[in-house]
Amino acid sequence: MGDVHWRELYHEVVDTGLCTGCAACVMACPRDVLGYTEDYFPVQVGEGHAFDQCTIGDRGCDICTRACPRFRNWESDLDEVLFGRPRDRDEVYGQVRSILLTRATDTAVHEQGQDGGLVSTLLIWGLEQEMIDGALTSAIVDTRGPFDSEPALVTDRDGVLATAGSRYTYSANPLAMADAEQAGLKNIALVGMSCQASIGGTVEAYGVNKYKRKIALTIGLLCSKTFTYDGQKQVLAEHGIDIADVVKVNIKGRYMVWLRDGTYEELPLKLFHPHTRPGCKLCPDFAAEHADIATGGIGADDDWTLTLVRTERGEEWMRGVIDAGLVEARPGEDDPVAMNLLTRLSTVSRKRWPTDAVPADARTPGLLPLAD
């Protein structure tokens, strides 16, 4: 990036609403002068400075801009470094090596996960094979049941299973890198929403070498949006449901709720749209386009996970768990519902990105990210 620092990042990404709150800038800041607010945004925390001022940046540090997966020509730069070419316009869900339907063969892992249990299987296998020594993921906040989560570092099978399953409020998982660094861990898997999964690409493309060496695998979760805790609480209350009585939530074109007394309720998903987290409103990436492996339960069969294998590294990991008999796989085309949803939701998300997001004087000639 060279001549751009926190000031440019703030005004071009945070202040314009392009910031997803992924916390990559906070994670990567070498002097810890960036913090993270309760409403999921980075903030300058150095004493005596304006909100857009960073003394370290003014002296030449640009690491926050290089870590950010929404700054300037992020998509084209990441495509080039990860895949060797820009994406074609018809690749609405990004570049892939293969698309599979996957399911864990270990019953305990399968039942603990949200759908097919693939993410848990990958993490457990990676830990047992010593390919990673930890994973950044999210854990349920005990006082709020399945509705809120926080960044978590897991280092063993029990930790992986304890954090399995989907959440529909946001967790900035990269913040758990601080715990990994304190523990002296060297090889980390990053599990996160689409925006967070792009961090593996930014550290590679822009030479954030400290994390380029640490992040051994990125697993991206297909994500259209997340909702605020208070918003979900309000909608549930309006329909006679106490949020404290909810034990599980899922979203499959409708809002599905399991209650403590064993009953089950469904609500129209559109009721929750007004409570979309602000950082999701302009995010163009449903399909975790720069993850090594992108995955989500959007198919007709809840027992299988739609899996997009994107990179050579992701392919090696998938081959490892399949060859070990830990995962069974079949072609993604076996589930036309999943494939149609993948295309449709990716197309909808891509239309969110403003075509003038990159400043005119900063664009690569003839190249504008996401100008679909």
Side-chain angles (χ1 to χ4, degrees):
M1 298 292 181
D3 297 327
V4 292
H5 314 295
W6 165 248
R7 182 176 290 105
E8 286 77 15
L9 181 62
Y10 178 84
H11 286 292
E12 294 179 25
V13 177
V14 180
D15 196 37
T16 60
L18 299 181
C19 178
T20 62
C22 75
C25 57
V26 181
M27 176 194 81
C29 178
R31 301 297 183 90
D32 297 325
V33 296
L34 294 181
Y36 197 71
T37 68
E38 291 185 358
D39 54 351
Y40 313 108
F41 288 109
V43 61
Q44 211 290 116
V45 296
E47 293 185 5
H49 298 149
F51 58 87
D52 64 348
Q53 181 185 7
C54 173
T55 300
I56 309 302
D58 290 343
R59 292 203 296 264
C61 178
D62 64 350
I63 290 179
C64 60
T65 67
R66 288 191 277 143
C68 176
R70 290 295 180 269
F71 189 60
R72 299 202 171 175
N73 289 318
W74 62 275
E75 183 184 63
S76 54
D77 289 349
L78 270 58
D79 278 346
E80 289 285 357
V81 76
L82 292 177
F83 310 117
R85 64 172 178 85
R87 66 191 292 167
D88 294 331
R89 285 183 176 273
D90 61 352
E91 293 175 311
V92 293
Y93 47 76
Q95 301 185 47
V96 297
R97 288 173 172 253
S98 60
I99 302 179
L100 305 170
L101 296 167
T102 59
R103 181 169 65 180
T105 58
D106 185 319
T107 302
V109 174
H110 187 192
E111 290 180 351
Q112 192 70 19
Q114 186 81 0
D115 293 287
L118 174 67
V119 174
S120 297
T121 300
L122 287 167
L123 297 182
I124 292 170
W125 180 76
L127 289 166
E128 292 177 346
Q129 297 297 313
E130 298 184 347
M131 298 174 69
I132 55 173
D133 42 20
L136 312 184
T137 182
S138 65
I140 296 263
V141 178
D142 291 339
T143 57
R144 289 187 163 189
F147 287 92
D148 214 354
S149 53
E150 59 188 2
L153 171 68
V154 296
T155 57
D156 56 26
R157 177 188 174 95
D158 288 344
V160 170
L161 293 181
T163 57
S166 296
R167 269 65 96 176
Y168 294 99
T169 47
Y170 194 72
S171 170
N173 297 352
L175 292 177
M177 183 66 81
D179 295 329
E181 292 178 345
Q182 186 174 4
L185 305 187
K186 296 181 178 180
N187 296 300
I188 303 296
L190 171 59
V191 182
M193 306 299 186
S194 301
C195 55
Q196 299 168 16
S198 286
I199 294 172
T202 57
V203 299
E204 178 81 18
Y206 303 131
V208 186
N209 293 326
K210 177 181 179 180
Y211 296 106
K212 176 181 174 181
R213 290 187 290 267
K214 278 185 180 291
I215 299 176
L217 182 73
T218 58
I219 302 174
L221 308 177
L222 306 187
C223 176
S224 178
K225 61 181 65 176
T226 57
F227 305 113
T228 66
Y229 172 85
D230 289 338
Q232 293 178 85
K233 181 178 180 180
Q234 176 185 324
V235 174
L236 290 169
E238 290 169 352
H239 290 78
I241 301 172
D242 187 338
I243 197 169
D245 293 333
V246 178
V247 295
K248 182 180 178 181
V249 176
N250 204 346
I251 294 178
K252 301 277 188 181
R254 59 202 185 281
Y255 193 93
M256 308 158 67
V257 184
W258 287 262
L259 301 177
R260 200 175 305 280
D261 62 5
T263 58
Y264 168 78
E265 300 284 348
E266 286 186 6
L267 297 175
L269 189 55
K270 65 181 181 180
L271 298 176
F272 295 86
H273 288 169
H275 305 288
T276 299
R277 189 180 66 92
C280 298
K281 292 180 179 179
L282 294 179
C283 180
D285 184 7
F286 167 77
E289 64 187 65
H290 295 122
D292 293 304
I293 299 170
T295 181
I298 62 172
D301 190 340
D302 293 345
D303 285 339
W304 294 80
T305 303
L306 186 68
T307 304
L308 291 79
V309 184
R310 298 195 181 278
T311 66
E312 181 178 0
R313 183 166 69 178
E315 197 168 57
E316 291 173 355
W317 277 69
M318 283 301 304
R319 187 181 300 116
V321 293
I322 291 172
D323 289 348
L326 300 174
V327 168
E328 52 183 322
R330 54 194 179 94
E333 291 76 10
D334 284 359
D335 189 340
V337 172
M339 294 302 297
N340 289 337
L341 273 173
L342 174 64
T343 299
R344 182 167 65 83
L345 294 175
S346 296
T347 301
V348 169
S349 291
R350 287 183 67 77
K351 291 179 179 178
R352 297 171 176 168
W353 187 258
T355 57
D356 60 350
V358 179
D361 60 355
R363 296 174 190 159
T364 302
L367 182 64
L368 181 65
L370 303 170
D372 287 341

